[in-house]
Amino acid sequence: MVAVYNAAWKRLHPGPALVLGVLIGLSLLPVLKSLFGSQLFGCTCATLAPTRRNSTAQSAIGAQGPSGPFSSFIYPTWPDSELSPAEFIPAPPKNKKQAVNEAVLWGYVPALDPRGLQRGLLQHGDPARMRRALHKLLSGEKVVVAAVGGSITVGRGSATQGTDIDTDWPSYLDQFHAWLRAAFPASQPQLFNKAQSGSTSNIFDACAEAMVPKDADIVVVEFAMNDGTNVDCARDGSGTVPARASFERLLRKLQALPNRPAVIVLNAYSFIRGSVGSYLKNAENEMAIIAAYYGLPTLSVRAAVFHQMLRNQHGYRVDRVRTENQEAGSDADELFLFDISHPYGPTGHRFMAELLIGLTQLTAGSLQAHALQDSEHTVAEESLPPPVIPGNYDKRAASCSMSRNFEDVVVEKKGFKWVNERPDAKTENDEKWGWIGGKPGDYVVLGLDSRSSGDGAGAGASVEDMLLPVLNNRAYAILDSYNHLRGPVTAPVNVTAVLKGIPDAEAGAEEEKKNADAGTRSQVLIGHLASYEGMGQAEVECVSGCECETTVLDGWWERHASLQVMHTVMVSEHPKCRIKLTITDKSSGEGQAAGHKIKLMAALVLAGTTTEGLSKPGRLSNIAH
């Protein structure tokens, strides 16, 4: 019988024989596996997939297949939308010596649409700084997380804001922090939330060093809602809407902190506030460009949820807001917005937390695939490039008086009172202290040391700094030659001469002379409330010690938002500078919008600058030349 079989096999053509052999081998594979075990025949590729999940995550996922890194946002894992905060936010681990709780790190399933979550991870940026921070978390080392932003980061619309809300879901930042502490028990990351309601990046630009912990490893930056769109800037004539320049200066300061932290730009979004239903008219357009220039990871709520909002899906509904529908029987988790500006705890805030969690998972997975390299520390320590907005160097504040610390800056007053307009605030960040006056003739006198402290951490000429004006001017010359305005530029730039301080023939002596004539005057930034109703004007003048031109502080604008903004006064340096603000009988508002209220909230002293226009409203195109 064997002989007959062998003879038949020899008569087969080599091709069919090979196919038949493969089929026989595949049919025997299950038997061989059962006899010798699956490890002998398993895939030899390295896997990052942990083998366990916590019970909550397991029940939420159901039978969705084996767990693994990124399974919560790369594979379609539609979650149970009825999870409670207690189920979403893991309990503190009992074993705090454990570096990583993989069941929490990988076992979490988001409520955010998985495709939307991937869109929301808008820019991964240069990963070196984020990988360094995650390496510390994975190693159980101390990690400090800080955040700057407005009322969304304070927690408005969530349980973090206080007891006057119908949800147990905390703010996106508190949700993210709780998840971090559960996922990385040994590290037990600390959170310092430095956000202030009604603030813009202009305020934090001035006071970053005084407000953000110097040992921060991760800093979340949220200002897309408060910094205003180009439409807002064009419509407002008060000169108080901060330009993108302050946002860039803030990013530079944060990146220059001692630990060289990972700076994450998180852009919130409201379908209603601003240009209703517009994807294009949003401050984050330019913010994302600036963040990309510095290689910063950028997360976009707009990119993550806009398509779902257009369909008015459950959890993303924008046809109503929660504050107006608490008694209407609507489900707690169907509306995205708490009011026209702030996300709601179980939806909008949760989705923002999930963007941060998704970025963290992505980075942790990359570290398991490729260990942190020494070269990444070198990359993180690199000097910053020149500002993307020409001349927009960051400046340190010689003094920074905000919130409760601002009370003692006023050395003389008439009619003004020191008031907290949010007395029921749960946190100091959510309080609204300020000196308030409401009648023409009311005044305050600010007592300041107007001597500046010099340039900030990002200043100091590098090779790129010195070459930039030369190359810019040469580029214009080349463009002119193509337009036949003058002959072609043929002489190469003498780099050696430029680095020695010898200006290139095309470097622009007129601009250099302008900079030299600017003097050593300091900037005094007076923080005040800007709103759309009942606001007035105040005359600003130097009355003792320092000198300055008289200007008008205008508290009214058309934007339907109430925010703290900055009025800039260029003053001479003096240890006892006295600046008087007197309410006038004028208002930019008309009818019911008119009024005389002036609220002062901060006073900052910065080093002088020759780029005064950068602190005024405008677009990048206005200052690119």
Side-chain angles (χ1 to χ4, degrees), residues 443-454:
Y443 70 84
V444 290
V445 177
L446 309 182
L448 301 166
D449 182 346
S450 62
R451 293 174 294 182
S452 66
S453 62

Side-chain angles (χ1 to χ4, degrees), residues 134-157:
L134 261 294
H135 178 77
K136 293 179 70 173
L137 285 169
L138 290 166
S139 303
E141 299 178 37
K142 173 189 174 184
V143 169
V144 173
V145 180
V148 293
S151 54
I152 292 176
T153 299
V154 169
R156 301 295 292 177

Side-chain angles (χ1 to χ4, degrees), residues 60 68 188 211 270 293 367 405 444 454 527 554 557 585 622:
Q188 287 295 284
M211 302 180 71
S270 169
Y293 176 78
L367 282 170
N405 294 330
V444 290
D554 197 336
W557 60 9
D585 58 357
N622 292 345

Side-chain angles (χ1 to χ4, degrees), residues 1-74:
M1 183 70 180
V2 174
V4 174
Y5 178 82
N6 288 338
W9 181 264
K10 289 179 180 179
R11 287 196 297 269
L12 282 174
H13 190 275
L18 177 61
V19 172
L20 181 60
V22 170
L23 292 174
I24 294 172
L26 290 175
S27 65
L28 293 174
L29 186 59
V31 177
L32 293 173
K33 276 191 173 183
S34 65
L35 292 175
F36 299 104
S38 60
Q39 291 183 350
L40 181 63
F41 298 93
C43 176
T44 58
C45 298
T47 177
L48 305 180
T51 58
R52 60 186 183 277
R53 291 179 183 268
N54 61 22
S55 58
T56 300
Q58 186 65 52
S59 63
I61 295 171
Q64 295 181 23
S67 62
F70 322 140
S71 64
S72 61
F73 62 94
I74 286 195

